[in-house]
Structures are given as structure tokens and as C-alpha cells.
PDB file of all heavy atoms in Angstrom:
ATOM      1  N   LYS A 259      10.793  15.469  14.100  1.00 82.00           N
ATOM      2  CA  LYS A 259      10.674  14.095  14.589  1.00 82.00           C
ATOM      3  C   LYS A 259      11.925  13.314  14.208  1.00 82.00           C
ATOM      4  O   LYS A 259      12.440  13.448  13.081  1.00 82.00           O
ATOM      5  CB  LYS A 259       9.449  13.404  13.997  1.00 82.00           C
ATOM      6  CG  LYS A 259       8.128  14.077  14.346  1.00 82.00           C
ATOM      7  CD  LYS A 259       7.743  13.784  15.772  1.00 82.00           C
ATOM      8  CE  LYS A 259       6.364  14.333  16.077  1.00 82.00           C
ATOM      9  NZ  LYS A 259       5.954  14.043  17.462  1.00 82.00           N
ATOM     10  N   GLY A 260      12.384  12.490  15.134  1.00 80.00           N
ATOM     11  CA  GLY A 260      13.582  11.717  14.848  1.00 80.00           C
ATOM     12  C   GLY A 260      13.294  10.384  14.198  1.00 80.00           C
ATOM     13  O   GLY A 260      14.127   9.851  13.472  1.00 80.00           O
ATOM     14  N   VAL A 261      12.113   9.836  14.436  1.00 89.00           N
ATOM     15  CA  VAL A 261      11.786   8.487  13.945  1.00 89.00           C
ATOM     16  C   VAL A 261      10.743   8.600  12.837  1.00 89.00           C
ATOM     17  O   VAL A 261       9.692   9.224  13.028  1.00 89.00           O
ATOM     18  CB  VAL A 261      11.254   7.607  15.092  1.00 89.00           C
ATOM     19  CG1 VAL A 261      10.906   6.212  14.570  1.00 89.00           C
ATOM     20  CG2 VAL A 261      12.274   7.524  16.221  1.00 89.00           C
ATOM     21  N   PRO A 262      11.001   8.015  11.656  1.00 92.00           N
ATOM     22  CA  PRO A 262      10.014   8.069  10.567  1.00 92.00           C
ATOM     23  C   PRO A 262       8.851   7.114  10.869  1.00 92.00           C
ATOM     24  O   PRO A 262       8.982   6.162  11.640  1.00 92.00           O
ATOM     25  CB  PRO A 262      10.802   7.624   9.346  1.00 92.00           C
ATOM     26  CG  PRO A 262      11.865   6.729   9.898  1.00 92.00           C
ATOM     27  CD  PRO A 262      12.241   7.305  11.241  1.00 92.00           C
ATOM     28  N   ILE A 263       7.717   7.360  10.242  1.00 92.00           N
ATOM     29  CA  ILE A 263       6.557   6.467  10.365  1.00 92.00           C
ATOM     30  C   ILE A 263       6.094   6.061   8.974  1.00 92.00           C
ATOM     31  O   ILE A 263       6.281   6.797   8.003  1.00 92.00           O
ATOM     32  CB  ILE A 263       5.397   7.133  11.128  1.00 92.00           C
ATOM     33  CG1 ILE A 263       4.835   8.329  10.340  1.00 92.00           C
ATOM     34  CG2 ILE A 263       5.830   7.557  12.520  1.00 92.00           C
ATOM     35  CD1 ILE A 263       3.543   8.871  10.903  1.00 92.00           C
ATOM     36  N   GLU A 264       5.505   4.886   8.893  1.00 94.00           N
ATOM     37  CA  GLU A 264       4.914   4.447   7.632  1.00 94.00           C
ATOM     38  C   GLU A 264       3.579   5.171   7.437  1.00 94.00           C
ATOM     39  O   GLU A 264       2.791   5.306   8.374  1.00 94.00           O
ATOM     40  CB  GLU A 264       4.672   2.945   7.634  1.00 94.00           C
ATOM     41  CG  GLU A 264       5.920   2.102   7.495  1.00 94.00           C
ATOM     42  CD  GLU A 264       6.479   2.104   6.078  1.00 94.00           C
ATOM     43  OE1 GLU A 264       5.843   2.702   5.179  1.00 94.00           O
ATOM     44  OE2 GLU A 264       7.551   1.501   5.874  1.00 94.00           O
ATOM     45  N   VAL A 265       3.344   5.586   6.230  1.00 95.00           N
ATOM     46  CA  VAL A 265       2.129   6.310   5.893  1.00 95.00           C
ATOM     47  C   VAL A 265       1.385   5.529   4.812  1.00 95.00           C
ATOM     48  O   VAL A 265       2.008   5.038   3.857  1.00 95.00           O
ATOM     49  CB  VAL A 265       2.446   7.739   5.421  1.00 95.00           C
ATOM     50  CG1 VAL A 265       1.170   8.461   5.009  1.00 95.00           C
ATOM     51  CG2 VAL A 265       3.155   8.512   6.517  1.00 95.00           C
ATOM     52  N   TYR A 266       0.056   5.422   4.964  1.00 96.00           N
ATOM     53  CA  TYR A 266      -0.770   4.644   4.044  1.00 96.00           C
ATOM     54  C   TYR A 266      -1.948   5.492   3.570  1.00 96.00           C
ATOM     55  O   TYR A 266      -2.331   6.478   4.210  1.00 96.00           O
ATOM     56  CB  TYR A 266      -1.308   3.388   4.734  1.00 96.00           C
ATOM     57  CG  TYR A 266      -0.252   2.445   5.232  1.00 96.00           C
ATOM     58  CD1 TYR A 266       0.371   2.660   6.466  1.00 96.00           C
ATOM     59  CD2 TYR A 266       0.123   1.337   4.491  1.00 96.00           C
ATOM     60  CE1 TYR A 266       1.338   1.793   6.939  1.00 96.00           C
ATOM     61  CE2 TYR A 266       1.095   0.455   4.960  1.00 96.00           C
ATOM     62  CZ  TYR A 266       1.700   0.690   6.179  1.00 96.00           C
ATOM     63  OH  TYR A 266       2.656  -0.179   6.634  1.00 96.00           O
ATOM     64  N   THR A 267      -2.538   5.044   2.469  1.00 96.00           N
ATOM     65  CA  THR A 267      -3.800   5.625   2.015  1.00 96.00           C
ATOM     66  C   THR A 267      -4.810   4.500   1.823  1.00 96.00           C
ATOM     67  O   THR A 267      -4.480   3.455   1.238  1.00 96.00           O
ATOM     68  CB  THR A 267      -3.628   6.432   0.713  1.00 96.00           C
ATOM     69  OG1 THR A 267      -4.874   7.066   0.386  1.00 96.00           O
ATOM     70  CG2 THR A 267      -3.210   5.563  -0.456  1.00 96.00           C
ATOM     71  N   PRO A 268      -6.016   4.646   2.364  1.00 95.00           N
ATOM     72  CA  PRO A 268      -7.018   3.569   2.214  1.00 95.00           C
ATOM     73  C   PRO A 268      -7.611   3.561   0.807  1.00 95.00           C
ATOM     74  O   PRO A 268      -7.877   4.607   0.220  1.00 95.00           O
ATOM     75  CB  PRO A 268      -8.073   3.930   3.267  1.00 95.00           C
ATOM     76  CG  PRO A 268      -7.967   5.403   3.439  1.00 95.00           C
ATOM     77  CD  PRO A 268      -6.527   5.756   3.210  1.00 95.00           C
ATOM     78  N   LEU A 269      -7.839   2.346   0.288  1.00 94.00           N
ATOM     79  CA  LEU A 269      -8.436   2.181  -1.041  1.00 94.00           C
ATOM     80  C   LEU A 269      -9.911   1.784  -0.962  1.00 94.00           C
ATOM     81  O   LEU A 269     -10.605   1.797  -1.976  1.00 94.00           O
ATOM     82  CB  LEU A 269      -7.663   1.116  -1.827  1.00 94.00           C
ATOM     83  CG  LEU A 269      -6.167   1.384  -2.018  1.00 94.00           C
ATOM     84  CD1 LEU A 269      -5.518   0.209  -2.738  1.00 94.00           C
ATOM     85  CD2 LEU A 269      -5.941   2.666  -2.792  1.00 94.00           C
ATOM     86  N   GLY A 270     -10.398   1.444   0.219  1.00 92.00           N
ATOM     87  CA  GLY A 270     -11.787   1.026   0.393  1.00 92.00           C
ATOM     88  C   GLY A 270     -11.877   0.014   1.520  1.00 92.00           C
ATOM     89  O   GLY A 270     -10.850  -0.436   2.058  1.00 92.00           O
ATOM     90  N   ASP A 271     -13.097  -0.344   1.905  1.00 91.00           N
ATOM     91  CA  ASP A 271     -13.230  -1.314   2.991  1.00 91.00           C
ATOM     92  C   ASP A 271     -13.012  -2.730   2.460  1.00 91.00           C
ATOM     93  O   ASP A 271     -12.880  -2.950   1.250  1.00 91.00           O
ATOM     94  CB  ASP A 271     -14.583  -1.187   3.696  1.00 91.00           C
ATOM     95  CG  ASP A 271     -15.759  -1.410   2.760  1.00 91.00           C
ATOM     96  OD1 ASP A 271     -15.640  -2.227   1.831  1.00 91.00           O
ATOM     97  OD2 ASP A 271     -16.798  -0.767   2.970  1.00 91.00           O
ATOM     98  N   ALA A 272     -12.969  -3.671   3.386  1.00 91.00           N
ATOM     99  CA  ALA A 272     -12.596  -5.048   3.030  1.00 91.00           C
ATOM    100  C   ALA A 272     -13.604  -5.714   2.110  1.00 91.00           C
ATOM    101  O   ALA A 272     -13.287  -6.715   1.462  1.00 91.00           O
ATOM    102  CB  ALA A 272     -12.428  -5.883   4.301  1.00 91.00           C
ATOM    103  N   SER A 273     -14.822  -5.178   2.027  1.00 91.00           N
ATOM    104  CA  SER A 273     -15.823  -5.780   1.147  1.00 91.00           C
ATOM    105  C   SER A 273     -15.591  -5.447  -0.324  1.00 91.00           C
ATOM    106  O   SER A 273     -16.138  -6.098  -1.205  1.00 91.00           O
ATOM    107  CB  SER A 273     -17.223  -5.310   1.556  1.00 91.00           C
ATOM    108  OG  SER A 273     -17.350  -3.914   1.384  1.00 91.00           O
ATOM    109  N   SER A 274     -14.804  -4.420  -0.593  1.00 91.00           N
ATOM    110  CA  SER A 274     -14.526  -4.035  -1.981  1.00 91.00           C
ATOM    111  C   SER A 274     -13.398  -4.903  -2.544  1.00 91.00           C
ATOM    112  O   SER A 274     -12.563  -5.416  -1.790  1.00 91.00           O
ATOM    113  CB  SER A 274     -14.142  -2.552  -2.055  1.00 91.00           C
ATOM    114  OG  SER A 274     -12.980  -2.307  -1.281  1.00 91.00           O
ATOM    115  N   PRO A 275     -13.355  -5.088  -3.860  1.00 92.00           N
ATOM    116  CA  PRO A 275     -12.295  -5.929  -4.434  1.00 92.00           C
ATOM    117  C   PRO A 275     -10.916  -5.285  -4.310  1.00 92.00           C
ATOM    118  O   PRO A 275     -10.779  -4.057  -4.347  1.00 92.00           O
ATOM    119  CB  PRO A 275     -12.714  -6.066  -5.913  1.00 92.00           C
ATOM    120  CG  PRO A 275     -13.585  -4.889  -6.162  1.00 92.00           C
ATOM    121  CD  PRO A 275     -14.284  -4.582  -4.886  1.00 92.00           C
ATOM    122  N   VAL A 276      -9.891  -6.121  -4.157  1.00 93.00           N
ATOM    123  CA  VAL A 276      -8.507  -5.630  -4.075  1.00 93.00           C
ATOM    124  C   VAL A 276      -8.026  -5.287  -5.492  1.00 93.00           C
ATOM    125  O   VAL A 276      -8.186  -6.094  -6.417  1.00 93.00           O
ATOM    126  CB  VAL A 276      -7.592  -6.698  -3.454  1.00 93.00           C
ATOM    127  CG1 VAL A 276      -6.154  -6.190  -3.376  1.00 93.00           C
ATOM    128  CG2 VAL A 276      -8.102  -7.096  -2.076  1.00 93.00           C
ATOM    129  N   PRO A 277      -7.459  -4.090  -5.707  1.00 93.00           N
ATOM    130  CA  PRO A 277      -6.941  -3.750  -7.044  1.00 93.00           C
ATOM    131  C   PRO A 277      -5.903  -4.767  -7.498  1.00 93.00           C
ATOM    132  O   PRO A 277      -5.019  -5.158  -6.710  1.00 93.00           O
ATOM    133  CB  PRO A 277      -6.320  -2.362  -6.842  1.00 93.00           C
ATOM    134  CG  PRO A 277      -7.018  -1.795  -5.652  1.00 93.00           C
ATOM    135  CD  PRO A 277      -7.293  -2.965  -4.761  1.00 93.00           C
ATOM    136  N   PRO A 278      -5.967  -5.234  -8.727  1.00 93.00           N
ATOM    137  CA  PRO A 278      -5.044  -6.284  -9.176  1.00 93.00           C
ATOM    138  C   PRO A 278      -3.584  -5.847  -9.213  1.00 93.00           C
ATOM    139  O   PRO A 278      -2.686  -6.674  -9.186  1.00 93.00           O
ATOM    140  CB  PRO A 278      -5.564  -6.624 -10.585  1.00 93.00           C
ATOM    141  CG  PRO A 278      -6.352  -5.423 -11.010  1.00 93.00           C
ATOM    142  CD  PRO A 278      -6.952  -4.863  -9.769  1.00 93.00           C
ATOM    143  N   TRP A 279      -3.354  -4.534  -9.259  1.00 94.00           N
ATOM    144  CA  TRP A 279      -1.975  -4.030  -9.338  1.00 94.00           C
ATOM    145  C   TRP A 279      -1.341  -3.800  -7.975  1.00 94.00           C
ATOM    146  O   TRP A 279      -0.159  -3.446  -7.875  1.00 94.00           O
ATOM    147  CB  TRP A 279      -1.939  -2.701 -10.099  1.00 94.00           C
ATOM    148  CG  TRP A 279      -3.001  -1.724  -9.668  1.00 94.00           C
ATOM    149  CD1 TRP A 279      -4.200  -1.512 -10.241  1.00 94.00           C
ATOM    150  CD2 TRP A 279      -2.941  -0.856  -8.512  1.00 94.00           C
ATOM    151  NE1 TRP A 279      -4.921  -0.565  -9.557  1.00 94.00           N
ATOM    152  CE2 TRP A 279      -4.162  -0.129  -8.476  1.00 94.00           C
ATOM    153  CE3 TRP A 279      -1.998  -0.614  -7.521  1.00 94.00           C
ATOM    154  CZ2 TRP A 279      -4.445   0.816  -7.498  1.00 94.00           C
ATOM    155  CZ3 TRP A 279      -2.272   0.321  -6.538  1.00 94.00           C
ATOM    156  CH2 TRP A 279      -3.482   1.033  -6.529  1.00 94.00           C
ATOM    157  N   LEU A 280      -2.094  -4.002  -6.880  1.00 94.00           N
ATOM    158  CA  LEU A 280      -1.606  -3.598  -5.567  1.00 94.00           C
ATOM    159  C   LEU A 280      -0.392  -4.415  -5.138  1.00 94.00           C
ATOM    160  O   LEU A 280       0.576  -3.854  -4.588  1.00 94.00           O
ATOM    161  CB  LEU A 280      -2.730  -3.742  -4.532  1.00 94.00           C
ATOM    162  CG  LEU A 280      -2.394  -3.245  -3.119  1.00 94.00           C
ATOM    163  CD1 LEU A 280      -1.989  -1.778  -3.143  1.00 94.00           C
ATOM    164  CD2 LEU A 280      -3.586  -3.449  -2.184  1.00 94.00           C
ATOM    165  N   ASP A 281      -0.384  -5.736  -5.394  1.00 94.00           N
ATOM    166  CA  ASP A 281       0.769  -6.558  -4.989  1.00 94.00           C
ATOM    167  C   ASP A 281       2.035  -6.110  -5.708  1.00 94.00           C
ATOM    168  O   ASP A 281       3.118  -6.036  -5.098  1.00 94.00           O
ATOM    169  CB  ASP A 281       0.483  -8.031  -5.288  1.00 94.00           C
ATOM    170  CG  ASP A 281      -0.532  -8.617  -4.317  1.00 94.00           C
ATOM    171  OD1 ASP A 281      -0.731  -8.018  -3.245  1.00 94.00           O
ATOM    172  OD2 ASP A 281      -1.132  -9.655  -4.639  1.00 94.00           O
ATOM    173  N   ASN A 282       1.932  -5.812  -6.997  1.00 95.00           N
ATOM    174  CA  ASN A 282       3.111  -5.345  -7.746  1.00 95.00           C
ATOM    175  C   ASN A 282       3.598  -4.007  -7.216  1.00 95.00           C
ATOM    176  O   ASN A 282       4.808  -3.753  -7.144  1.00 95.00           O
ATOM    177  CB  ASN A 282       2.780  -5.218  -9.235  1.00 95.00           C
ATOM    178  CG  ASN A 282       2.602  -6.574  -9.895  1.00 95.00           C
ATOM    179  OD1 ASN A 282       3.088  -7.586  -9.390  1.00 95.00           O
ATOM    180  ND2 ASN A 282       1.900  -6.612 -11.012  1.00 95.00           N
ATOM    181  N   TYR A 283       2.645  -3.159  -6.822  1.00 95.00           N
ATOM    182  CA  TYR A 283       3.037  -1.860  -6.279  1.00 95.00           C
ATOM    183  C   TYR A 283       3.804  -2.044  -4.971  1.00 95.00           C
ATOM    184  O   TYR A 283       4.853  -1.418  -4.756  1.00 95.00           O
ATOM    185  CB  TYR A 283       1.796  -0.998  -6.049  1.00 95.00           C
ATOM    186  CG  TYR A 283       2.086   0.273  -5.295  1.00 95.00           C
ATOM    187  CD1 TYR A 283       2.579   1.401  -5.953  1.00 95.00           C
ATOM    188  CD2 TYR A 283       1.883   0.353  -3.915  1.00 95.00           C
ATOM    189  CE1 TYR A 283       2.863   2.561  -5.244  1.00 95.00           C
ATOM    190  CE2 TYR A 283       2.161   1.505  -3.210  1.00 95.00           C
ATOM    191  CZ  TYR A 283       2.656   2.613  -3.877  1.00 95.00           C
ATOM    192  OH  TYR A 283       2.940   3.769  -3.183  1.00 95.00           O
ATOM    193  N   GLU A 284       3.294  -2.910  -4.082  1.00 94.00           N
ATOM    194  CA  GLU A 284       3.968  -3.130  -2.808  1.00 94.00           C
ATOM    195  C   GLU A 284       5.355  -3.727  -3.032  1.00 94.00           C
ATOM    196  O   GLU A 284       6.316  -3.377  -2.338  1.00 94.00           O
ATOM    197  CB  GLU A 284       3.122  -4.054  -1.923  1.00 94.00           C
ATOM    198  CG  GLU A 284       1.786  -3.458  -1.488  1.00 94.00           C
ATOM    199  CD  GLU A 284       1.966  -2.270  -0.580  1.00 94.00           C
ATOM    200  OE1 GLU A 284       2.979  -2.222   0.156  1.00 94.00           O
ATOM    201  OE2 GLU A 284       1.106  -1.362  -0.590  1.00 94.00           O
ATOM    202  N   GLN A 285       5.481  -4.610  -4.012  1.00 95.00           N
ATOM    203  CA  GLN A 285       6.788  -5.198  -4.323  1.00 95.00           C
ATOM    204  C   GLN A 285       7.738  -4.134  -4.854  1.00 95.00           C
ATOM    205  O   GLN A 285       8.937  -4.124  -4.539  1.00 95.00           O
ATOM    206  CB  GLN A 285       6.624  -6.329  -5.344  1.00 95.00           C
ATOM    207  CG  GLN A 285       7.906  -7.099  -5.616  1.00 95.00           C
ATOM    208  CD  GLN A 285       7.682  -8.248  -6.599  1.00 95.00           C
ATOM    209  OE1 GLN A 285       6.550  -8.542  -6.957  1.00 95.00           O
ATOM    210  NE2 GLN A 285       8.753  -8.871  -7.021  1.00 95.00           N
ATOM    211  N   ALA A 286       7.206  -3.200  -5.657  1.00 94.00           N
ATOM    212  CA  ALA A 286       8.039  -2.127  -6.192  1.00 94.00           C
ATOM    213  C   ALA A 286       8.561  -1.238  -5.075  1.00 94.00           C
ATOM    214  O   ALA A 286       9.734  -0.813  -5.095  1.00 94.00           O
ATOM    215  CB  ALA A 286       7.234  -1.300  -7.194  1.00 94.00           C
ATOM    216  N   VAL A 287       7.708  -0.933  -4.064  1.00 94.00           N
ATOM    217  CA  VAL A 287       8.164  -0.121  -2.926  1.00 94.00           C
ATOM    218  C   VAL A 287       9.266  -0.856  -2.171  1.00 94.00           C
ATOM    219  O   VAL A 287      10.268  -0.252  -1.743  1.00 94.00           O
ATOM    220  CB  VAL A 287       6.978   0.211  -1.995  1.00 94.00           C
ATOM    221  CG1 VAL A 287       7.464   0.916  -0.735  1.00 94.00           C
ATOM    222  CG2 VAL A 287       5.962   1.081  -2.707  1.00 94.00           C
ATOM    223  N   THR A 288       9.113  -2.161  -2.002  1.00 94.00           N
ATOM    224  CA  THR A 288      10.151  -2.943  -1.319  1.00 94.00           C
ATOM    225  C   THR A 288      11.464  -2.893  -2.095  1.00 94.00           C
ATOM    226  O   THR A 288      12.552  -2.718  -1.508  1.00 94.00           O
ATOM    227  CB  THR A 288       9.673  -4.393  -1.151  1.00 94.00           C
ATOM    228  OG1 THR A 288       8.457  -4.404  -0.388  1.00 94.00           O
ATOM    229  CG2 THR A 288      10.714  -5.230  -0.431  1.00 94.00           C
ATOM    230  N   LEU A 289      11.427  -3.050  -3.422  1.00 95.00           N
ATOM    231  CA  LEU A 289      12.645  -2.963  -4.242  1.00 95.00           C
ATOM    232  C   LEU A 289      13.289  -1.587  -4.123  1.00 95.00           C
ATOM    233  O   LEU A 289      14.522  -1.460  -4.057  1.00 95.00           O
ATOM    234  CB  LEU A 289      12.303  -3.256  -5.707  1.00 95.00           C
ATOM    235  CG  LEU A 289      11.874  -4.691  -6.032  1.00 95.00           C
ATOM    236  CD1 LEU A 289      11.397  -4.783  -7.466  1.00 95.00           C
ATOM    237  CD2 LEU A 289      13.038  -5.655  -5.799  1.00 95.00           C
TER     238      LEU A 289
END
């Protein structure tokens, strides 16, 4: 494949609480 794609893993449905570390993790990937 010539074009990369973003890959994700689900942590649960929207009714479950968001992990408190998730924002820091996303910021770390951006850095």
C-alpha cells in the first residue's frame, strides 16, 4: 500500500468512563 492509514483500538463504548491518561497519551503521540 502506498498510503498509510490511522489505526485505533477501542477502549469501550461511550457509556464507560474515559481513562484519565488518554489525553496525555494522545498528546504524546502528537509530539
Side-chain angles (χ1 to χ4, degrees):
K259 299 285 186 179
V261 179
I263 65 169
E264 286 285 356
V265 177
Y266 300 83
T267 185
L269 302 177
D271 60 34
S273 64
S274 60
V276 180
W279 46 264
L280 185 58
D281 287 341
N282 289 339
Y283 171 82
E284 294 294 330
Q285 186 178 352
V287 174
T288 301
L289 292 173

